[in-house]
Amino acid sequence: MTTAGDLMVIRPKRFELPIWAAVLGLVLRWSWRALWWCLRHPVATASAVLALTLYVEFGWPGLVVPLVLMSAASALWRWRDESSWWAWLAGPLLGSFRRVFVYRRVWREAMTLCGLAETYDHRGVLPELLRVRSDQALDVLTVRMVRGQTPEQFQKVSANLAYAFGRRHARVYSERLGDPPTRTGRGAWLLRLVDRVRYRDRPTLVYLALVRTDALRTVVPPFPVPAVPDFTALPLARREDLRTWSLHLLATHVLVGGATRSGKGSVLWSLVRVLGGGIASGLVRLWVIDPKGGMEFALGRPMFARFACKSFEAMADLLDEAVTVLRERQTRLAGTVRVHTPTEADPLVVVVVDEMAALTAYLQDVDLRKRIAGSLGLLLSQGAGVGVLVVAALQDPRKEVLPFRDLFPTRIALGLTEASQVDLVLGEGARNRGALADQMPRWAKGVGYVILDGTPDPMRVRFSYVGDDDIRDMAREYPAPVDAADILAQVGRETAIEPVRLPLPRKPSGPLLPDALRNLLDRDGGGESR
């Protein structure tokens, strides 16, 4: 302490840390960080220790020989079972490499510029990149959100995230992609316990899927025709991750929305193809309406139990008969079951309508249009449970064109012309979640977005292309039975007659005009009554 007149200066006593203590603290700090890194990366640590041990014991041959043997074993594994090779070897290794050298390098910049960085206590807080899982086409990033964030914030900037990491397509999922595998055999109980931990719900995580290689650029060949179709999983399309997307057709209606030349025929013919075995056996009845004069479906006419393509009166009759089947099954199954089970004696009826707007909006005959709308409303509201399903395609999904759009539980969006149409087809907010159906490139025929089962998240898929020769072969190999046209006569039942209801008496109504004005109108110009 020193003084200078009235000024007093107090200097605290300086504590000088010995140089050996500073060095020891730094060594302990770096050692703890290295130990923590080794615990978080056991595979890399074990590989480094093994490589160092082999080099010390055998020199360079100790590294080269095992590397050659592992490469040969990896090539053999990939040749025999490429899917498991990607799942257990190549995917984790490539994901670890890309996590360090691709995503971690620009993570802070990407999160900040995309608006996902937050500030707490005057410090920047970023979402944490936990893991990267790669396969043939995708990089799936597991991200822990900042406390207070929601998956919707990531979904709104999915396009920004894609371009921030140098990709064109990205989608954000709030739940883990894929379902837990089915475990059987010895040790299955232990694997099921592990799956309960791996696949449990984690609300703090989101999954960002970046398309590294667009697997949907190549045309998808037609899928094999099963002898007995599984109505809960009909294979129709290829997903971005090269897996097969299957349609759950039982007890649902399907709406396909897409602009002209977007590939709606690929969706409809892919469905007809996988139902071919059931059509030939009598398990499925296809009733097809083609308002374009048969230009789309006439090639497959032998497969259809009913077909209307030129007369709108015939199309209305077909829909009326479908309502008749619906009423008969309701009368027969009421109190017995809640969902119809298709059998050859009581088959599934699928009404396929191409260009639905031609029946609901563009038809000039008002009475016929109302008749068709009434039948379609009944089929869509009551037909799913009794096995009378509707599969419809249209170009314009507006409410005035298709007033009962909300009665389709399953929806598929192909290339559309306006951004607002995406939400009209797939539901509110689908475009913000990554369904950019209005930005389809010219080559993307048959490429569209579907909603994954049980989640609101869209998935990009490409439907198989069924050519004219394939359709002719299908019509020849899987024709409908001869007696398939009249389903009520085939099963030998009559439709229950509805009771006749007497019209309710109408109350007499008074004059629409006041008495004074009516008296003036009843008089002529001369003042005399008429």
Side-chain angles (χ1 to χ4, degrees), residues 308-487:
C309 64
K310 295 182 180 180
S311 171
F312 286 100
E313 186 74 29
M315 300 175 193
D317 292 340
L318 188 150
L319 295 174
D320 289 342
E321 186 170 344
V323 173
T324 302
V325 176
L326 179 148
R327 293 299 190 195
E328 186 274 335
R329 287 185 176 177
Q330 285 179 335
T331 304
R332 175 168 45 89
L333 300 178
T336 305
V337 295
R338 292 190 298 171
V339 178
H340 171 264
T341 300
T343 61
E344 294 184 7
D346 204 13
L348 183 72
V349 178
V350 182
V351 181
V352 180
V353 184
D354 190 21
E355 299 299 344
M356 173 76 83
L359 305 179
T360 59
Y362 308 145
L363 184 58
Q364 297 297 323
D365 192 331
V366 178
D367 294 334
L368 196 58
R369 188 168 69 241
K370 290 181 179 179
R371 176 183 165 195
I372 291 175
S375 298
L376 283 172
L378 288 173
L379 293 175
L380 292 172
S381 61
Q382 305 177 23
V386 296
V388 183
L389 312 180
V390 178
V391 178
L394 82 165
Q395 299 182 26
D396 189 351
R398 291 177 300 170
K399 202 73 173 180
E400 53 268 26
V401 176
L402 188 63
F404 24 76
R405 184 186 63 232
D406 295 334
L407 297 179
F408 288 91
T410 303
R411 304 181 190 180
I412 300 169
L414 301 176
L416 296 167
T417 56
E418 299 177 6
S420 59
Q421 293 180 350
V422 180
D423 291 345
L424 293 179
V425 176
L426 295 179
E428 188 69 28
R431 194 180 186 279
N432 289 336
R433 295 191 294 269
L436 304 179
D438 58 307
Q439 299 181 6
M440 286 290 183
R442 293 182 179 180
W443 58 264
K445 308 298 183 183
V447 179
Y449 291 88
V450 298
I451 299 297
L452 297 179
D453 294 337
T455 67
D457 302 321
M459 170 65 73
R460 185 166 168 261
V461 300
R462 182 164 191 169
F463 291 87
S464 63
Y465 175 71
V466 184
D468 292 350
D469 294 336
D470 297 320
I471 296 174
R472 294 187 185 95
D473 294 340
M474 289 160 44
R476 184 173 59 255
E477 296 178 14
Y478 306 103
V482 178
D483 57 351
D486 189 352
I487 187 172

